[in-house]
Amino acid sequence: MTPMQPMQPMQRRRFLKSLGLAGGATVFESLRPRTARAAVAPRRLLVFYTYQGTLPTYWQPTGSESDFTLNELSQPYAQYKNDLIFLDGLDMLSKDLDRQPNPGNAHAQGQNHALAAIDHLSPGLAGGPTIDQTIAKGLNARTQFPSLELGISNYKTFPSYHYLIQTGAGQRIPSEGDPAKVWARMFGDFTPPGGAAPSGPDPAKLREKSVLDYVRGEIGAVGSRLSASDRRKLDAHTQAVRDLEVRLALDGSTVATPTMGCSKVDQAAAVAASNLRKSSTSFNAIADQQVKMAAMALACDMTRVLSLNVNDGQSWPYVAGSFGSSDGHDLVHKTSPDNGALRSNPDAVAMMKGFHVEYHKVFGKLLKALAEMPDVDGKRVLDNTIVLWAGEFSVGSHVTRDLHWMLAGSGGGQLKTGRYLKFDRLGGKGPSHSNLFVSLANAMGVPITTFGNPAACTGKLARL
């Protein structure tokens, strides 16, 4: 008997199509390409973003690159020390090179450059996409959401705080800080693996055509007659339509791969946290739910790119009026280690250290959630994820140089963790933070060579 020859890709697709199973090769394990049978975990990116910089004295590890001791602020996640990479000394060089005037408050200016690294268009708008969106588009993953933007916020502070992410020049996306709304969007019609198949139109047929394909000529004709400002609005609208199509799985090339731990998050807990949003004591309840849903979004492969925008407004009330400060924001500035009037007051600094500890506790909860979730390859979800902790400042005086950022997870072995990277500051300048973004995109499988303002970017970040 002649041995049965393996079915070639085109034969396999014709066979499945004839059975009405096109796009469903996973139905028959033996018909899947041999290279696809092994469990391969997707790479994921999670941006953890906080405000007001930090207190370097309590943040910086001591020791060498690979033999270091964690400082006080890092104790909430000390057990994950070997999963961390401390990045000490990067600069937002793109902000120094910004050719536009710098209107608005310094927080908005820093935020415009923190993740986009390019000239701003206005006080609250960067002139290009943030790195997470560049990576999301480069992945072209057919997941439920190209990206998710979550927040921990009471929406009482600077309006720009709620618009961390941009899909393109001037095209910003708000961070959703209401756990009930996040739950409804993520889990309202979600069926965990093994559950009943969802009803609705066949995604394979819907993928055949984009609605933009039918009006591409009209868009081009109208666009040529518009002002630069109106063209940006049209671009933003068409991008929003395209993003919606992708969110509905109308396009892509990579099938979602949920882990065995993928499950539906409890709705009652999300609603309970949502009901506390106007309370000054709501921070922890909201943080717990948003962290849980962020981790489950990655575990269920709903998305491979996610941001968690941690707004500090809910941590400010407990310091209001202390040490003659009008509010917590004021005390952040007064305790800034470079020029704060109260930087030598141990009691004031201790109070602000408590303020920063709240951020580190949330980060610890996030790492724990990712580390305790088994991935499809038998490793932890954290092992196949890159978590970037970023922010708009270095310290409370609005400084955007000598940043104190952090990475966690190796992105499936793409990064060597368990390191403290303190960069040389030649001539008072450290490496560009946009170089870091090139390295992160490459680690995620997106082959870019520059990001943001090219004059501020020299390629991948050395030593990473």
Side-chain angles (χ1 to χ4, degrees):
M1 178 180 294
T2 303
M4 181 177 292
Q5 298 298 315
M7 190 175 289
Q8 297 303 308
M10 286 303 296
Q11 293 175 310
R12 187 163 49 245
R13 286 195 288 272
R14 283 196 296 268
F15 174 70
L16 291 169
K17 186 175 182 180
S18 68
L19 295 179
L21 296 172
T26 53
V27 174
F28 299 114
E29 174 69 19
S30 60
L31 294 184
R32 297 173 63 194
R34 293 187 182 277
T35 55
R37 295 183 197 176
V40 177
R43 299 176 201 171
R44 312 173 182 91
L45 174 72
L46 194 158
V47 177
F48 183 84
Y49 192 94
T50 60
Y51 297 80
Q52 309 298 338
T54 189
L55 295 172
T57 301
Y58 304 101
W59 179 89
Q60 291 170 315
T62 57
S64 64
E65 176 177 327
S66 58
D67 184 13
F68 59 89
T69 301
L70 297 179
N71 212 323
E72 292 182 47
L73 291 178
S74 302
Q75 293 309 308
Y77 43 88
Q79 70 190 95
Y80 304 112
K81 173 186 173 183
N82 291 332
D83 296 303
L84 305 175
I85 305 175
F86 288 84
L87 303 171
D88 192 356
L90 300 178
D91 284 359
M92 289 188 197
L93 297 184
S94 59
K95 183 175 183 296
D96 299 336
L97 298 174
D98 198 331
R99 293 162 296 183
Q100 305 295 329
N102 280 310
N105 67 69
H107 294 268
Q109 294 169 25
Q111 185 159 313
N112 278 341
H113 285 271
L115 297 178
I118 197 168
D119 292 6
H120 69 276
L121 297 179
S122 70
L125 295 175
T130 47
I131 184 59
D132 61 304
Q133 294 301 298
T134 296
I135 291 174
K137 291 177 182 177
L139 292 177
N140 193 30
R142 197 176 68 203
T143 52
Q144 185 178 356
F145 305 102
S147 65
L148 281 171
E149 294 74 36
L150 277 59
I152 301 174
S153 169
N154 64 357
Y155 285 60
K156 293 180 180 178
T157 48
F158 296 114
S160 63
Y161 278 14
H162 316 303
Y163 294 92
L164 175 63
I165 303 303
Q166 288 198 177
T167 60
Q171 301 169 25
R172 63 185 189 177
I173 305 175
S175 302
E176 180 53 69
D178 187 333
K181 292 181 180 178
V182 172
W183 188 95
R185 185 181 178 201
M186 288 175 52
F187 298 103
D189 58 357
F190 174 69
T191 303
S199 59
D202 180 3
K205 292 183 179 178
L206 292 176
R207 281 196 297 273
E208 292 177 358
K209 199 75 172 176
S210 163
V211 65
L212 298 177
D213 291 334
Y214 295 104
V215 294
R216 196 170 305 278
E218 288 84 347
I219 291 176
V222 171
S224 64
R225 301 197 301 269
L226 297 178
S227 66
S229 175
D230 285 341
R231 276 199 304 273
R232 283 199 299 270
K233 293 178 182 179
L234 179 61
D235 289 343
H237 176 71
T238 55
Q239 182 61 50
V241 172
R242 194 70 188 120
D243 287 347
L244 177 60
E245 290 185 328
V246 177
R247 291 176 194 277
L248 294 173
L250 300 182
D251 193 13
S253 59
T254 306
V255 178
T257 310
T259 72
M260 291 299 293
C262 173
S263 63
K264 202 165 187 173
V265 172
D266 179 53
Q267 181 181 18
V271 171
S274 178
N275 291 336
L276 292 173
R277 290 184 73 233
K278 294 184 179 180
S279 167
S280 62
T281 61
S282 63
F283 184 82
N284 287 328
I286 292 175
D288 288 348
Q289 293 307 308
Q290 299 291 70
V291 164
K292 183 180 296 184
M293 288 189 283
M296 196 59 72
L298 298 182
C300 294
D301 208 17
M302 292 179 174
T303 188
R304 295 177 186 174
V305 176
L306 186 146
S307 59
L308 186 58
N309 183 6
V310 189
N311 187 331
D312 53 12
Q314 299 180 69
S315 302
W316 287 359
Y318 83 95
V319 299
S322 301
F323 303 98
S325 295
S326 57
D327 55 25
H329 179 216
D330 183 39
L331 192 57
V332 165
H333 294 309
K334 289 182 177 179
T335 55
S336 184
D338 54 350
N339 60 12
L342 297 174
R343 65 186 183 279
S344 298
N345 184 316
D347 295 327
V349 172
M351 179 167 283
M352 290 317 301
K353 182 168 65 173
F355 165 88
H356 287 290
V357 163
E358 296 303 313
Y359 284 151
H360 288 263
K361 286 181 179 177
V362 178
F363 192 66
K365 292 175 182 178
L366 178 63
L367 296 189
K368 185 175 186 291
L370 297 175
E372 293 184 348
M373 186 71 68
D375 214 333
V376 295
D377 60 356
K379 298 179 181 179
R380 306 168 301 170
V381 168
L382 177 61
D383 294 320
N384 296 306
T385 302
I386 297 175
V387 183
L388 166 66
W389 185 343
E392 90 280 40
F393 294 142
S394 169
V395 292
S397 60
H398 300 160
V399 174
T400 55
R401 289 180 174 270
D402 199 8
L403 300 172
H404 309 291
W405 286 10
M406 190 186 307
L407 298 171
S410 69
Q414 297 297 308
L415 303 177
K416 182 182 177 182
T417 59
R419 293 190 293 160
Y420 171 38
L421 299 181
K422 186 170 180 61
F423 296 96
D424 294 332
R425 300 187 55 74
L426 303 176
K429 290 185 179 182
S432 175
H433 82 306
S434 53
N435 289 6
L436 167 65
F437 295 151
V438 172
S439 292
L440 295 185
N442 291 176
M444 288 292 294
V446 180
I448 63 174
T449 57
T450 189
F451 180 78
N453 185 342
C457 185
T458 58
K460 293 192 292 185
L461 180 64
R463 298 177 61 194
L464 183 59

